[in-house]
Amino acid sequence: MNRDGWDGPYMVVECRKALSPSRLPGIDYALNPYSGCSHGCVYCYAPEVTHSDWKGWRIPRVRQNIATRLSKEIGPLNGVIGIGTSTDPYQYAEKRFELTRQCLEVISHKGMSVNIMTKSDLFLRDSDLLSGMRHAIGVTITHIDDAVSKRTEPGAPLPSVRLSAMKDAVDNGLAVYGLIGPIMSTVKGSEESIVEAVISTGVTAVCLDRLNMRPLLGERLQRMGISTSDDSVNRMRSLFVAAGLDVADAFGEGWHEQLLSRA
Ligand code: SF4
């Protein structure tokens, strides 16, 4: 896998449904143009939740008919669509297949709101569509040290790329927020520099996400010497609050309304 030019592997599949009911507060429907994710984050619990093989999860399944399905399902619906609730909608496959962009085109015609979560700068490509929609875009930052990212998110765009994309998004008037997490023991001692880097992008809202230690995931992370860090969560929260940013708990009650109201 190559960070600069994605070269697969992938599988092309057909989906029977585009939207599924969301269990995240404030999000009515979940939309995932891909299943599986080439970013390969060591803290990913999606394979465990979906009962998938962890290595197989890194091979994205390209749901090639998803925009067609979406256009059939969306007619009677209203509310908020969460894009990328289980995989990154702007992972490298999106550069080639543009399924997320096709779905945004469908949603923009319907006038529904979106909350997008990604580790990629590729969302900037869709600024033209996003700027005409009610939207919130969460860019995930787990660290600002590229070396740490290469170890923990080996297939994802580097944090430096993400931070630069956040700044560009703010400058272009997009409603972008920092999705800080999962906050792991890897950030110990770097909390201040991470907070400073995020603030320097110009975002005015962040969500803090604690590390979710599910059983199999916990074993893997333990082998890597990675654990949760409540101290770091609390430290970063106070630093963001002191700097005047809006701080929410990711996926907690009210988090989404708080973010969308800024769009
Ligand atoms: S970006 Fe999200 S879905 Fe993809 S591997 Fe990382 S944690 Fe899993």
Side-chain angles (χ1 to χ4, degrees):
M1 199 69 65
N2 175 342
R3 282 174 187 253
D4 301 317
W6 180 75
D7 55 4
Y10 63 88
M11 286 166 60
V12 175
V13 298
E14 299 276 319
C15 62
R16 281 184 294 176
K17 279 198 68 78
L19 295 169
S20 52
S22 167
R23 279 179 287 182
L24 296 177
I27 293 185
D28 302 291
Y29 305 98
L31 178 77
N32 290 286
Y34 304 90
S35 65
C37 184
S38 59
H39 291 341
C41 308
V42 296
Y43 49 77
C44 183
Y45 56 79
E48 203 160 331
V49 173
T50 56
H51 309 289
S52 315
D53 165 56
W54 194 72
K55 284 188 181 153
W57 181 256
R58 289 193 68 175
I59 300 173
R61 261 78 69 203
V62 178
R63 308 172 80 197
Q64 65 171 356
N65 62 332
I66 193 161
T68 311
R69 291 271 7 136
L70 179 63
S71 56
K72 288 182 178 149
E73 292 170 24
I74 203 170
L77 306 178
N78 282 302
V80 179
I81 298 178
I83 304 181
T85 55
S86 65
T87 64
D88 195 321
Y90 287 107
Q91 58 181 291
Y92 287 114
E94 173 62 13
K95 256 189 193 173
R96 184 181 304 174
F97 295 101
E98 300 196 356
L99 300 183
T100 298
R101 182 169 177 87
Q102 291 168 23
C103 290
L104 284 175
E105 281 167 353
V106 174
I107 297 166
S108 67
H109 288 132
K110 169 71 179 167
M112 289 174 76
S113 309
V114 292
N115 187 342
I116 298 175
M117 287 154 273
T118 184
K119 288 187 172 75
S120 172
D121 55 331
L122 186 57
F123 72 91
L124 290 171
R125 179 201 64 190
D126 296 337
S127 299
D128 57 332
L129 291 170
L130 291 164
S131 56
M133 308 168 66
R134 196 150 179 261
H135 69 275
I137 306 157
V139 178
T140 303
I141 298 290
T142 53
H143 210 295
I144 54 166
D145 183 335
D146 287 350
V148 175
S149 173
K150 282 178 184 170
R151 188 164 75 98
T152 56
E153 308 156 334
L158 293 170
S160 47
V161 173
R162 295 179 223 167
L163 289 163
S164 169
M166 288 163 77
K167 182 170 184 330
D168 288 350
V170 171
D171 292 346
N172 288 312
L174 294 179
V176 64
Y177 63 94
L179 186 47
I180 315 299
I183 297 173
M184 304 175 277
S185 53
T186 47
V187 304
K188 278 185 184 165
S190 304
E191 293 91 340
E192 287 187 24
S193 46
I194 294 170
V195 168
E196 273 170 25
V198 170
I199 292 172
S200 73
T201 67
V203 297
T204 54
V206 291
C207 289
L208 303 182
D209 188 19
R210 289 168 191 272
L211 178 63
N212 189 335
M213 278 289 212
R214 288 171 179 267
L216 294 177
L217 173 65
E219 281 171 29
R220 185 167 69 241
L221 292 180
Q222 221 169 14
R223 285 197 298 274
M224 296 182 73
I226 294 174
S227 59
T228 56
S229 178
D230 285 350
D231 288 352
S232 299
V233 175
N234 296 336
R235 177 81 184 124
M236 291 167 96
R237 186 190 304 279
S238 0
L239 290 167
F240 279 124
V241 169
L245 273 75
D246 280 349
V247 183
D249 287 314
F251 317 121
E253 286 301 327
W255 75 291
H256 177 73
E257 289 81 357
Q258 191 175 333
L259 296 162
L260 209 56
S261 66
R262 314 169 77 86

PDB file of all heavy atoms in Angstrom, residues 104-139:
ATOM      1  N   LEU A 104     -22.827  12.441  -2.505  1.00  0.00           N
ATOM      2  CA  LEU A 104     -23.033  13.847  -2.116  1.00  0.00           C
ATOM      3  C   LEU A 104     -23.892  14.570  -3.153  1.00  0.00           C
ATOM      4  O   LEU A 104     -24.721  15.418  -2.816  1.00  0.00           O
ATOM      5  CB  LEU A 104     -21.681  14.569  -1.966  1.00  0.00           C
ATOM      6  CG  LEU A 104     -20.886  14.266  -0.695  1.00  0.00           C
ATOM      7  CD1 LEU A 104     -19.531  14.965  -0.751  1.00  0.00           C
ATOM      8  CD2 LEU A 104     -21.646  14.689   0.564  1.00  0.00           C
ATOM      9  N   GLU A 105     -23.694  14.229  -4.413  1.00  0.00           N
ATOM     10  CA  GLU A 105     -24.509  14.866  -5.462  1.00  0.00           C
ATOM     11  C   GLU A 105     -25.990  14.527  -5.248  1.00  0.00           C
ATOM     12  O   GLU A 105     -26.850  15.385  -5.328  1.00  0.00           O
ATOM     13  CB  GLU A 105     -24.036  14.411  -6.846  1.00  0.00           C
ATOM     14  CG  GLU A 105     -22.786  15.160  -7.286  1.00  0.00           C
ATOM     15  CD  GLU A 105     -22.090  14.539  -8.495  1.00  0.00           C
ATOM     16  OE1 GLU A 105     -22.484  13.442  -8.935  1.00  0.00           O
ATOM     17  OE2 GLU A 105     -21.118  15.168  -8.958  1.00  0.00           O
ATOM     18  N   VAL A 106     -26.265  13.269  -4.939  1.00  0.00           N
ATOM     19  CA  VAL A 106     -27.652  12.847  -4.700  1.00  0.00           C
ATOM     20  C   VAL A 106     -28.217  13.580  -3.481  1.00  0.00           C
ATOM     21  O   VAL A 106     -29.331  14.120  -3.504  1.00  0.00           O
ATOM     22  CB  VAL A 106     -27.716  11.309  -4.483  1.00  0.00           C
ATOM     23  CG1 VAL A 106     -29.120  10.877  -4.080  1.00  0.00           C
ATOM     24  CG2 VAL A 106     -27.256  10.571  -5.728  1.00  0.00           C
ATOM     25  N   ILE A 107     -27.445  13.620  -2.412  1.00  0.00           N
ATOM     26  CA  ILE A 107     -27.925  14.232  -1.155  1.00  0.00           C
ATOM     27  C   ILE A 107     -28.116  15.734  -1.341  1.00  0.00           C
ATOM     28  O   ILE A 107     -29.071  16.322  -0.813  1.00  0.00           O
ATOM     29  CB  ILE A 107     -26.922  13.947  -0.010  1.00  0.00           C
ATOM     30  CG1 ILE A 107     -26.822  12.448   0.243  1.00  0.00           C
ATOM     31  CG2 ILE A 107     -27.346  14.661   1.272  1.00  0.00           C
ATOM     32  CD1 ILE A 107     -25.635  12.034   1.107  1.00  0.00           C
ATOM     33  N   SER A 108     -27.251  16.371  -2.102  1.00  0.00           N
ATOM     34  CA  SER A 108     -27.370  17.826  -2.279  1.00  0.00           C
ATOM     35  C   SER A 108     -28.656  18.175  -3.010  1.00  0.00           C
ATOM     36  O   SER A 108     -29.293  19.187  -2.719  1.00  0.00           O
ATOM     37  CB  SER A 108     -26.144  18.391  -3.003  1.00  0.00           C
ATOM     38  OG  SER A 108     -26.109  17.923  -4.311  1.00  0.00           O
ATOM     39  N   HIS A 109     -29.088  17.333  -3.923  1.00  0.00           N
ATOM     40  CA  HIS A 109     -30.351  17.605  -4.618  1.00  0.00           C
ATOM     41  C   HIS A 109     -31.539  17.484  -3.675  1.00  0.00           C
ATOM     42  O   HIS A 109     -32.542  18.157  -3.811  1.00  0.00           O
ATOM     43  CB  HIS A 109     -30.531  16.640  -5.804  1.00  0.00           C
ATOM     44  CG  HIS A 109     -29.602  16.954  -6.934  1.00  0.00           C
ATOM     45  ND1 HIS A 109     -28.834  16.011  -7.574  1.00  0.00           N
ATOM     46  CD2 HIS A 109     -29.274  18.135  -7.522  1.00  0.00           C
ATOM     47  CE1 HIS A 109     -28.091  16.598  -8.499  1.00  0.00           C
ATOM     48  NE2 HIS A 109     -28.344  17.892  -8.479  1.00  0.00           N
ATOM     49  N   LYS A 110     -31.395  16.618  -2.685  1.00  0.00           N
ATOM     50  CA  LYS A 110     -32.486  16.380  -1.731  1.00  0.00           C
ATOM     51  C   LYS A 110     -32.476  17.426  -0.609  1.00  0.00           C
ATOM     52  O   LYS A 110     -33.475  17.650   0.069  1.00  0.00           O
ATOM     53  CB  LYS A 110     -32.311  14.957  -1.161  1.00  0.00           C
ATOM     54  CG  LYS A 110     -33.158  14.610   0.005  1.00  0.00           C
ATOM     55  CD  LYS A 110     -34.617  14.443  -0.381  1.00  0.00           C
ATOM     56  CE  LYS A 110     -35.429  14.053   0.858  1.00  0.00           C
ATOM     57  NZ  LYS A 110     -36.861  14.168   0.653  1.00  0.00           N
ATOM     58  N   GLY A 111     -31.336  18.063  -0.389  1.00  0.00           N
ATOM     59  CA  GLY A 111     -31.246  19.099   0.647  1.00  0.00           C
ATOM     60  C   GLY A 111     -31.088  18.561   2.054  1.00  0.00           C
ATOM     61  O   GLY A 111     -31.404  19.265   3.019  1.00  0.00           O
ATOM     62  N   MET A 112     -30.612  17.332   2.208  1.00  0.00           N
ATOM     63  CA  MET A 112     -30.389  16.808   3.565  1.00  0.00           C
ATOM     64  C   MET A 112     -29.005  17.224   4.074  1.00  0.00           C
ATOM     65  O   MET A 112     -28.134  17.625   3.308  1.00  0.00           O
ATOM     66  CB  MET A 112     -30.525  15.277   3.566  1.00  0.00           C
ATOM     67  CG  MET A 112     -31.961  14.814   3.371  1.00  0.00           C
ATOM     68  SD  MET A 112     -32.119  13.020   3.183  1.00  0.00           S
ATOM     69  CE  MET A 112     -31.909  12.447   4.874  1.00  0.00           C
ATOM     70  N   SER A 113     -28.817  17.127   5.397  1.00  0.00           N
ATOM     71  CA  SER A 113     -27.548  17.511   6.024  1.00  0.00           C
ATOM     72  C   SER A 113     -26.624  16.295   6.126  1.00  0.00           C
ATOM     73  O   SER A 113     -27.097  15.157   6.210  1.00  0.00           O
ATOM     74  CB  SER A 113     -27.795  18.016   7.447  1.00  0.00           C
ATOM     75  OG  SER A 113     -28.798  18.986   7.444  1.00  0.00           O
ATOM     76  N   VAL A 114     -25.328  16.587   6.147  1.00  0.00           N
ATOM     77  CA  VAL A 114     -24.368  15.480   6.284  1.00  0.00           C
ATOM     78  C   VAL A 114     -23.344  15.767   7.375  1.00  0.00           C
ATOM     79  O   VAL A 114     -22.978  16.920   7.614  1.00  0.00           O
ATOM     80  CB  VAL A 114     -23.598  15.210   4.959  1.00  0.00           C
ATOM     81  CG1 VAL A 114     -24.521  14.660   3.895  1.00  0.00           C
ATOM     82  CG2 VAL A 114     -22.853  16.443   4.458  1.00  0.00           C
ATOM     83  N   ASN A 115     -22.915  14.717   8.036  1.00  0.00           N
ATOM     84  CA  ASN A 115     -21.748  14.781   8.920  1.00  0.00           C
ATOM     85  C   ASN A 115     -20.762  13.744   8.391  1.00  0.00           C
ATOM     86  O   ASN A 115     -21.075  12.566   8.306  1.00  0.00           O
ATOM     87  CB  ASN A 115     -22.128  14.460  10.367  1.00  0.00           C
ATOM     88  CG  ASN A 115     -20.961  14.698  11.325  1.00  0.00           C
ATOM     89  OD1 ASN A 115     -19.801  14.786  10.912  1.00  0.00           O
ATOM     90  ND2 ASN A 115     -21.261  14.789  12.602  1.00  0.00           N
ATOM     91  N   ILE A 116     -19.591  14.227   8.005  1.00  0.00           N
ATOM     92  CA  ILE A 116     -18.592  13.361   7.370  1.00  0.00           C
ATOM     93  C   ILE A 116     -17.414  13.186   8.322  1.00  0.00           C
ATOM     94  O   ILE A 116     -16.974  14.159   8.939  1.00  0.00           O
ATOM     95  CB  ILE A 116     -18.094  14.015   6.065  1.00  0.00           C
ATOM     96  CG1 ILE A 116     -19.260  14.169   5.081  1.00  0.00           C
ATOM     97  CG2 ILE A 116     -16.967  13.210   5.440  1.00  0.00           C
ATOM     98  CD1 ILE A 116     -18.908  14.917   3.814  1.00  0.00           C
ATOM     99  N   MET A 117     -16.910  11.963   8.426  1.00  0.00           N
ATOM    100  CA  MET A 117     -15.727  11.728   9.261  1.00  0.00           C
ATOM    101  C   MET A 117     -14.636  11.088   8.411  1.00  0.00           C
ATOM    102  O   MET A 117     -14.894  10.100   7.731  1.00  0.00           O
ATOM    103  CB  MET A 117     -16.097  10.803  10.430  1.00  0.00           C
ATOM    104  CG  MET A 117     -16.935  11.524  11.483  1.00  0.00           C
ATOM    105  SD  MET A 117     -17.987  10.415  12.417  1.00  0.00           S
ATOM    106  CE  MET A 117     -19.457  10.349  11.399  1.00  0.00           C
ATOM    107  N   THR A 118     -13.446  11.689   8.452  1.00  0.00           N
ATOM    108  CA  THR A 118     -12.380  11.206   7.573  1.00  0.00           C
ATOM    109  C   THR A 118     -10.995  11.461   8.143  1.00  0.00           C
ATOM    110  O   THR A 118     -10.819  12.333   9.005  1.00  0.00           O
ATOM    111  CB  THR A 118     -12.496  11.873   6.180  1.00  0.00           C
ATOM    112  OG1 THR A 118     -11.501  11.324   5.314  1.00  0.00           O
ATOM    113  CG2 THR A 118     -12.309  13.381   6.260  1.00  0.00           C
ATOM    114  N   LYS A 119     -10.020  10.718   7.616  1.00  0.00           N
ATOM    115  CA  LYS A 119      -8.604  10.980   7.926  1.00  0.00           C
ATOM    116  C   LYS A 119      -7.895  11.486   6.680  1.00  0.00           C
ATOM    117  O   LYS A 119      -6.675  11.493   6.633  1.00  0.00           O
ATOM    118  CB  LYS A 119      -7.911   9.688   8.359  1.00  0.00           C
ATOM    119  CG  LYS A 119      -8.305   9.186   9.714  1.00  0.00           C
ATOM    120  CD  LYS A 119      -7.431   8.003  10.111  1.00  0.00           C
ATOM    121  CE  LYS A 119      -7.699   7.633  11.553  1.00  0.00           C
ATOM    122  NZ  LYS A 119      -8.964   6.928  11.736  1.00  0.00           N
ATOM    123  N   SER A 120      -8.642  11.871   5.679  1.00  0.00           N
ATOM    124  CA  SER A 120      -8.027  12.236   4.398  1.00  0.00           C
ATOM    125  C   SER A 120      -8.268  13.703   4.057  1.00  0.00           C
ATOM    126  O   SER A 120      -9.264  14.297   4.471  1.00  0.00           O
ATOM    127  CB  SER A 120      -8.625  11.350   3.299  1.00  0.00           C
ATOM    128  OG  SER A 120      -8.195  11.795   2.040  1.00  0.00           O
ATOM    129  N   ASP A 121      -7.367  14.246   3.252  1.00  0.00           N
ATOM    130  CA  ASP A 121      -7.549  15.601   2.735  1.00  0.00           C
ATOM    131  C   ASP A 121      -8.429  15.602   1.476  1.00  0.00           C
ATOM    132  O   ASP A 121      -8.757  16.653   0.950  1.00  0.00           O
ATOM    133  CB  ASP A 121      -6.178  16.211   2.384  1.00  0.00           C
ATOM    134  CG  ASP A 121      -5.387  15.323   1.426  1.00  0.00           C
ATOM    135  OD1 ASP A 121      -5.570  14.091   1.455  1.00  0.00           O
ATOM    136  OD2 ASP A 121      -4.605  15.867   0.633  1.00  0.00           O
ATOM    137  N   LEU A 122      -8.813  14.422   1.012  1.00  0.00           N
ATOM    138  CA  LEU A 122      -9.543  14.339  -0.256  1.00  0.00           C
ATOM    139  C   LEU A 122     -10.909  15.016  -0.215  1.00  0.00           C
ATOM    140  O   LEU A 122     -11.458  15.373  -1.263  1.00  0.00           O
ATOM    141  CB  LEU A 122      -9.677  12.852  -0.662  1.00  0.00           C
ATOM    142  CG  LEU A 122     -10.271  12.540  -2.026  1.00  0.00           C
ATOM    143  CD1 LEU A 122      -9.505  13.212  -3.165  1.00  0.00           C
ATOM    144  CD2 LEU A 122     -10.331  11.025  -2.253  1.00  0.00           C
ATOM    145  N   PHE A 123     -11.454  15.235   0.988  1.00  0.00           N
ATOM    146  CA  PHE A 123     -12.767  15.903   1.059  1.00  0.00           C
ATOM    147  C   PHE A 123     -12.729  17.287   0.411  1.00  0.00           C
ATOM    148  O   PHE A 123     -13.750  17.795  -0.044  1.00  0.00           O
ATOM    149  CB  PHE A 123     -13.263  15.988   2.514  1.00  0.00           C
ATOM    150  CG  PHE A 123     -12.514  16.969   3.367  1.00  0.00           C
ATOM    151  CD1 PHE A 123     -12.935  18.283   3.478  1.00  0.00           C
ATOM    152  CD2 PHE A 123     -11.365  16.584   4.047  1.00  0.00           C
ATOM    153  CE1 PHE A 123     -12.249  19.195   4.257  1.00  0.00           C
ATOM    154  CE2 PHE A 123     -10.671  17.492   4.835  1.00  0.00           C
ATOM    155  CZ  PHE A 123     -11.109  18.798   4.939  1.00  0.00           C
ATOM    156  N   LEU A 124     -11.525  17.895   0.363  1.00  0.00           N
ATOM    157  CA  LEU A 124     -11.419  19.230  -0.241  1.00  0.00           C
ATOM    158  C   LEU A 124     -11.829  19.202  -1.713  1.00  0.00           C
ATOM    159  O   LEU A 124     -12.306  20.206  -2.245  1.00  0.00           O
ATOM    160  CB  LEU A 124      -9.989  19.764  -0.118  1.00  0.00           C
ATOM    161  CG  LEU A 124      -9.535  20.144   1.293  1.00  0.00           C
ATOM    162  CD1 LEU A 124      -8.041  20.437   1.303  1.00  0.00           C
ATOM    163  CD2 LEU A 124     -10.328  21.349   1.809  1.00  0.00           C
ATOM    164  N   ARG A 125     -11.634  18.068  -2.351  1.00  0.00           N
ATOM    165  CA  ARG A 125     -12.046  17.930  -3.758  1.00  0.00           C
ATOM    166  C   ARG A 125     -13.533  18.248  -3.919  1.00  0.00           C
ATOM    167  O   ARG A 125     -13.959  18.755  -4.961  1.00  0.00           O
ATOM    168  CB  ARG A 125     -11.763  16.481  -4.213  1.00  0.00           C
ATOM    169  CG  ARG A 125     -12.153  16.174  -5.643  1.00  0.00           C
ATOM    170  CD  ARG A 125     -12.331  14.680  -5.850  1.00  0.00           C
ATOM    171  NE  ARG A 125     -13.429  14.142  -5.055  1.00  0.00           N
ATOM    172  CZ  ARG A 125     -13.682  12.844  -4.889  1.00  0.00           C
ATOM    173  NH1 ARG A 125     -12.879  11.944  -5.422  1.00  0.00           N
ATOM    174  NH2 ARG A 125     -14.719  12.441  -4.161  1.00  0.00           N
ATOM    175  N   ASP A 126     -14.323  17.934  -2.864  1.00  0.00           N
ATOM    176  CA  ASP A 126     -15.783  18.084  -2.957  1.00  0.00           C
ATOM    177  C   ASP A 126     -16.281  19.382  -2.328  1.00  0.00           C
ATOM    178  O   ASP A 126     -17.472  19.508  -2.013  1.00  0.00           O
ATOM    179  CB  ASP A 126     -16.468  16.874  -2.297  1.00  0.00           C
ATOM    180  CG  ASP A 126     -16.151  15.591  -3.042  1.00  0.00           C
ATOM    181  OD1 ASP A 126     -15.810  15.674  -4.238  1.00  0.00           O
ATOM    182  OD2 ASP A 126     -16.238  14.510  -2.439  1.00  0.00           O
ATOM    183  N   SER A 127     -15.392  20.358  -2.165  1.00  0.00           N
ATOM    184  CA  SER A 127     -15.774  21.635  -1.559  1.00  0.00           C
ATOM    185  C   SER A 127     -16.935  22.280  -2.307  1.00  0.00           C
ATOM    186  O   SER A 127     -17.797  22.922  -1.710  1.00  0.00           O
ATOM    187  CB  SER A 127     -14.596  22.618  -1.583  1.00  0.00           C
ATOM    188  OG  SER A 127     -13.535  22.092  -0.848  1.00  0.00           O
ATOM    189  N   ASP A 128     -16.956  22.125  -3.625  1.00  0.00           N
ATOM    190  CA  ASP A 128     -18.024  22.744  -4.420  1.00  0.00           C
ATOM    191  C   ASP A 128     -19.399  22.237  -3.988  1.00  0.00           C
ATOM    192  O   ASP A 128     -20.350  23.011  -3.860  1.00  0.00           O
ATOM    193  CB  ASP A 128     -17.797  22.498  -5.919  1.00  0.00           C
ATOM    194  CG  ASP A 128     -17.706  21.002  -6.266  1.00  0.00           C
ATOM    195  OD1 ASP A 128     -17.291  20.208  -5.408  1.00  0.00           O
ATOM    196  OD2 ASP A 128     -18.073  20.650  -7.396  1.00  0.00           O
ATOM    197  N   LEU A 129     -19.499  20.929  -3.739  1.00  0.00           N
ATOM    198  CA  LEU A 129     -20.783  20.356  -3.311  1.00  0.00           C
ATOM    199  C   LEU A 129     -21.058  20.680  -1.848  1.00  0.00           C
ATOM    200  O   LEU A 129     -22.162  21.090  -1.477  1.00  0.00           O
ATOM    201  CB  LEU A 129     -20.760  18.833  -3.480  1.00  0.00           C
ATOM    202  CG  LEU A 129     -20.739  18.316  -4.922  1.00  0.00           C
ATOM    203  CD1 LEU A 129     -20.467  16.820  -4.927  1.00  0.00           C
ATOM    204  CD2 LEU A 129     -22.077  18.617  -5.591  1.00  0.00           C
ATOM    205  N   LEU A 130     -20.042  20.517  -1.015  1.00  0.00           N
ATOM    206  CA  LEU A 130     -20.232  20.690   0.428  1.00  0.00           C
ATOM    207  C   LEU A 130     -20.622  22.112   0.777  1.00  0.00           C
ATOM    208  O   LEU A 130     -21.452  22.342   1.660  1.00  0.00           O
ATOM    209  CB  LEU A 130     -18.959  20.291   1.175  1.00  0.00           C
ATOM    210  CG  LEU A 130     -18.649  18.789   1.144  1.00  0.00           C
ATOM    211  CD1 LEU A 130     -17.211  18.514   1.546  1.00  0.00           C
ATOM    212  CD2 LEU A 130     -19.620  18.048   2.057  1.00  0.00           C
ATOM    213  N   SER A 131     -20.058  23.078   0.073  1.00  0.00           N
ATOM    214  CA  SER A 131     -20.348  24.463   0.426  1.00  0.00           C
ATOM    215  C   SER A 131     -21.805  24.823   0.157  1.00  0.00           C
ATOM    216  O   SER A 131     -22.312  25.801   0.714  1.00  0.00           O
ATOM    217  CB  SER A 131     -19.390  25.421  -0.285  1.00  0.00           C
ATOM    218  OG  SER A 131     -19.465  25.194  -1.657  1.00  0.00           O
ATOM    219  N   GLY A 132     -22.494  24.032  -0.654  1.00  0.00           N
ATOM    220  CA  GLY A 132     -23.902  24.300  -0.911  1.00  0.00           C
ATOM    221  C   GLY A 132     -24.834  23.472  -0.037  1.00  0.00           C
ATOM    222  O   GLY A 132     -26.053  23.487  -0.233  1.00  0.00           O
ATOM    223  N   MET A 133     -24.272  22.723   0.908  1.00  0.00           N
ATOM    224  CA  MET A 133     -25.099  21.841   1.751  1.00  0.00           C
ATOM    225  C   MET A 133     -24.893  22.186   3.223  1.00  0.00           C
ATOM    226  O   MET A 133     -23.857  22.729   3.595  1.00  0.00           O
ATOM    227  CB  MET A 133     -24.652  20.369   1.597  1.00  0.00           C
ATOM    228  CG  MET A 133     -24.565  19.894   0.200  1.00  0.00           C
ATOM    229  SD  MET A 133     -23.698  18.304   0.086  1.00  0.00           S
ATOM    230  CE  MET A 133     -24.829  17.218   0.936  1.00  0.00           C
ATOM    231  N   ARG A 134     -25.834  21.818   4.055  1.00  0.00           N
ATOM    232  CA  ARG A 134     -25.609  21.910   5.505  1.00  0.00           C
ATOM    233  C   ARG A 134     -24.721  20.722   5.878  1.00  0.00           C
ATOM    234  O   ARG A 134     -25.091  19.561   5.640  1.00  0.00           O
ATOM    235  CB  ARG A 134     -26.958  21.854   6.230  1.00  0.00           C
ATOM    236  CG  ARG A 134     -26.878  22.325   7.643  1.00  0.00           C
ATOM    237  CD  ARG A 134     -28.185  22.960   8.116  1.00  0.00           C
ATOM    238  NE  ARG A 134     -28.020  23.373   9.496  1.00  0.00           N
ATOM    239  CZ  ARG A 134     -28.446  22.662  10.539  1.00  0.00           C
ATOM    240  NH1 ARG A 134     -29.105  21.541  10.370  1.00  0.00           N
ATOM    241  NH2 ARG A 134     -28.232  23.106  11.768  1.00  0.00           N
ATOM    242  N   HIS A 135     -23.553  21.025   6.415  1.00  0.00           N
ATOM    243  CA  HIS A 135     -22.578  19.952   6.586  1.00  0.00           C
ATOM    244  C   HIS A 135     -21.704  20.182   7.819  1.00  0.00           C
ATOM    245  O   HIS A 135     -21.595  21.301   8.322  1.00  0.00           O
ATOM    246  CB  HIS A 135     -21.655  19.888   5.360  1.00  0.00           C
ATOM    247  CG  HIS A 135     -20.744  21.083   5.257  1.00  0.00           C
ATOM    248  ND1 HIS A 135     -21.140  22.267   4.660  1.00  0.00           N
ATOM    249  CD2 HIS A 135     -19.477  21.295   5.702  1.00  0.00           C
ATOM    250  CE1 HIS A 135     -20.151  23.150   4.737  1.00  0.00           C
ATOM    251  NE2 HIS A 135     -19.135  22.591   5.369  1.00  0.00           N
ATOM    252  N   ALA A 136     -21.087  19.122   8.283  1.00  0.00           N
ATOM    253  CA  ALA A 136     -20.009  19.199   9.270  1.00  0.00           C
ATOM    254  C   ALA A 136     -19.003  18.126   8.855  1.00  0.00           C
ATOM    255  O   ALA A 136     -19.391  17.013   8.506  1.00  0.00           O
ATOM    256  CB  ALA A 136     -20.542  18.931  10.669  1.00  0.00           C
ATOM    257  N   ILE A 137     -17.725  18.504   8.858  1.00  0.00           N
ATOM    258  CA  ILE A 137     -16.684  17.558   8.437  1.00  0.00           C
ATOM    259  C   ILE A 137     -15.698  17.385   9.582  1.00  0.00           C
ATOM    260  O   ILE A 137     -15.024  18.335   9.991  1.00  0.00           O
ATOM    261  CB  ILE A 137     -15.911  18.092   7.205  1.00  0.00           C
ATOM    262  CG1 ILE A 137     -16.869  18.442   6.070  1.00  0.00           C
ATOM    263  CG2 ILE A 137     -14.866  17.071   6.733  1.00  0.00           C
ATOM    264  CD1 ILE A 137     -16.291  19.442   5.098  1.00  0.00           C
ATOM    265  N   GLY A 138     -15.615  16.187  10.109  1.00  0.00           N
ATOM    266  CA  GLY A 138     -14.672  15.901  11.188  1.00  0.00           C
ATOM    267  C   GLY A 138     -13.411  15.281  10.614  1.00  0.00           C
ATOM    268  O   GLY A 138     -13.467  14.252   9.951  1.00  0.00           O
ATOM    269  N   VAL A 139     -12.281  15.949  10.842  1.00  0.00           N
ATOM    270  CA  VAL A 139     -11.004  15.395  10.391  1.00  0.00           C
ATOM    271  C   VAL A 139     -10.299  14.811  11.613  1.00  0.00           C
ATOM    272  O   VAL A 139     -10.070  15.510  12.607  1.00  0.00           O
ATOM    273  CB  VAL A 139     -10.128  16.470   9.713  1.00  0.00           C
ATOM    274  CG1 VAL A 139      -8.785  15.869   9.303  1.00  0.00           C
ATOM    275  CG2 VAL A 139     -10.846  17.038   8.493  1.00  0.00           C
TER     276      VAL A 139
END
